[in-house]
Amino acid sequence: MKLNIVCIPGDGIGPEIVAQAKKVLDKVGEVFGHEMNYTDILMGGASIDAYGVPLTDEAIATAKAADAVLMGSIGGDTNTSPWYKLPPEKRPEAGLLGIRKALNLFANLRPAVLYPELKGACPLKEEISGKGFDLLIMRELTGGLYFGERKTVTENGMKKAIDTLTYTEEEIRRIAVKGFDIAMKRRKKVTSVDKANVLDSSRLWRAVVNEVAKDYPEVTLEHMLVDNCAMQLVRDPSQFDVVLTENMFGDILSDEASMVTGSIGMLSSASLNDTKFGLYEPSHGSAPDIAGKDLANPIATILSASMMLRYSFDLDKEADAVDAAVDRVLKEGFRTGDIYTEGCEKLGCNAMGDRIAERIVA
Ligand code: NAD
């Protein structure tokens, strides 16, 4: 199979971590007989320096023509970088918002996995972390409260702020379909999270999710109120497989789920549209404090590349091989500085990429 991948190395540690992901993908290509075809585009600070804007129309067109986009991270030190003296629409992050919009990426996937070898980093008690967990937050990304009409008015001398939360059946259906499709590739359980005891938008959400569920008889569906879900994520995260939720609830719950793993350098993410196309990137930022020092953990980006194989190319066996190589390297005791504990062998970014690539087997 020929895989046309656009890469956005980006800023800070971005180029270092994307190089490791490419190394692993190249090994996948070699072992499983696929042709990796990469095209690099600039975004964020790198694009500002080259073209004066964080994302050009040409870069968007190149991304649209690819099968998937693999990104490092964008942005600089927000206190010292000259990029942050520019107006907001010219800053690095505007590039990311721009590409998400241009590619209609409405589904955001954030896995939160606790590896047994890294459970020391988990802030939860041993009796909870000991069970491990592997869940995925599926967040609607382009609707709801963050995109509704908003205004501030003055009534009888008192200021009043209004935000509007709207969802159409169609917006709910397309994210629900994505959630169930992804559950079919995992442990076949969906927890749909809403606030149906209060909000009309949540009652519609629940009704549409129930309808979609009829097409997925193998998937177990449960509904959970968002306040309960926030508690359950720290009480027993192992109960979850796919957590399907709207934009604002997903924003909050995905950060909570990330935190309970305790290892930011390990967390991958994906944003998908209604085709197989997706943008894959680590959940962390560009870590300007360690950029260019061969200190970054490339695993989040490598696991994002694995998600790309699984969700954009349906190459599940190949994705499993990448996940297994990461598992093996951790079991063998190799660590980058951010996840290092005594008794392990500390590696730089490049050597970690090498070790993982070497362990890709069919
Ligand atoms: P950050 O995630 O870049 O860094 C937070 C801390 O985690 C730092 O100490 C950093 O060294 C460490 N860290 C992060 N990733 C690591 C890795 N792979 N290996 C080892 N250590 C790692 O967050 P920040 O400092 O708040 O933001 C820095 C820049 O990144 C800002 O410009 C911000 O806007 C940008 N950012 C970009 C994205 C994105 O591109 N999607 C996301 C978040 C932040």
Side-chain angles (χ1 to χ4, degrees):
M1 182 175 185
K2 188 168 172 184
L3 286 71
N4 288 315
I5 302 164
V6 156
C7 294
I8 306 177
D11 308 314
I13 59 171
E16 299 166 62
I17 54 182
V18 168
Q20 307 317 311
K22 279 184 178 174
K23 198 185 272 177
V24 171
L25 285 172
D26 284 341
K27 187 66 188 296
V28 168
E30 207 183 298
V31 170
F32 291 89
H34 301 298
E35 190 187 330
M36 303 291 166
N37 186 11
Y38 307 111
T39 313
D40 281 3
I41 59 172
L42 297 183
M43 199 172 93
S47 176
I48 296 172
D49 290 347
Y51 307 116
V53 288
L55 181 67
T56 61
D57 290 344
E58 291 74 24
I60 293 177
T62 308
K64 276 187 174 166
D67 299 320
V69 176
L70 178 66
M71 189 177 123
S73 191
I74 52 136
D77 184 324
T78 47
N79 293 315
T80 58
S81 165
W83 299 328
Y84 295 92
K85 299 211 163 59
L86 296 167
E89 69 281 6
K90 293 256 172 79
R91 290 182 192 173
E93 287 69 19
L96 189 55
L97 296 179
I99 202 163
R100 282 187 179 148
K101 192 164 170 218
L103 300 173
N104 193 24
L105 303 172
F106 64 84
N108 182 243
L109 282 62
R110 294 252 304 257
V113 180
L114 183 66
Y115 292 86
E117 294 78 16
L118 303 181
K119 67 174 197 263
C122 174
L124 303 178
K125 281 186 194 157
E126 167 74 34
E127 66 207 65
I128 301 170
S129 65
K131 286 201 262 177
F133 55 86
D134 176 358
L135 62 94
L136 184 148
I137 308 269
M138 166 73 99
R139 165 188 172 196
E140 201 290 325
L141 203 57
T142 57
L145 199 58
Y146 298 172
F147 289 87
E149 199 187 322
R150 68 177 63 101
K151 59 183 173 187
T152 303
V153 295
T154 303
E155 277 177 7
N156 305 323
M158 177 88 78
K159 275 191 184 157
K160 182 164 108 177
I162 302 159
D163 292 291
T164 326
L165 199 179
T166 57
Y167 269 109
T168 66
E169 279 180 86
E170 183 44 35
E171 284 173 311
I172 301 169
R173 184 166 293 108
R174 65 181 187 174
I175 185 82
V177 166
K178 281 278 173 207
F180 280 89
D181 280 347
I182 278 161
M184 285 297 290
K185 284 179 176 272
R186 295 175 47 99
R187 300 193 308 280
K188 300 191 174 64
K189 179 177 176 191
V190 169
T191 305
S192 175
V193 173
D194 60 37
K195 189 74 183 166
N197 52 345
V198 180
L199 301 175
D200 261 19
S201 56
S202 282
R203 285 190 273 271
L204 181 62
W205 180 277
R206 207 174 262 218
V208 174
V209 169
N210 280 334
E211 266 173 38
V212 172
K214 289 184 190 146
D215 294 332
Y216 297 86
E218 287 177 58
V219 177
T220 306
L221 169 66
E222 67 176 9
H223 297 280
M224 191 177 276
L225 295 176
V226 62
D227 38 353
N228 185 25
C229 183
M231 291 193 288
Q232 296 298 330
L233 275 171
V234 290
R235 199 187 70 81
D236 180 16
S238 71
Q239 69 185 283
F240 296 109
D241 179 17
V242 173
V243 176
L244 171 67
T245 192
E246 61 93 61
N247 201 344
M248 183 177 62
F249 298 159
D251 187 9
I252 299 166
L253 295 176
S254 59
D255 271 13
E256 185 189 0
S258 305
M259 263 320 292
V260 295
T261 71
S263 311
I264 193 174
M266 303 288 297
L267 298 170
S268 53
S269 85
S271 303
L272 311 178
N273 66 18
D274 51 9
T275 68
K276 287 274 167 195
F277 187 93
L279 182 145
Y280 299 84
E281 55 171 325
S283 292
H284 58 71
S286 59
D289 51 330
I290 56 167
K293 297 180 181 162
D294 195 33
L295 290 175
N297 183 348
I299 294 180
T301 316
I302 291 169
L303 292 173
S304 302
S306 158
M307 289 177 85
M308 178 179 78
L309 294 171
R310 200 181 300 282
Y311 298 127
S312 281
F313 297 103
D314 278 323
L315 295 174
D316 289 31
K317 242 184 333 131
E318 290 79 347
D320 289 346
V322 175
D323 297 352
V326 169
D327 274 350
R328 228 183 109 191
V329 160
L330 293 175
K331 282 205 172 70
E332 288 169 359
F334 296 111
R335 303 281 189 276
T336 44
D338 58 316
I339 51 171
Y340 176 78
T341 46
E342 241 182 72
C344 293
E345 183 175 337
K346 199 185 275 185
L347 298 179
C349 180
N350 194 36
M352 181 56 101
D354 286 342
R355 293 287 190 286
I356 295 171
E358 284 158 17
R359 282 154 184 76
I360 299 285
V361 285

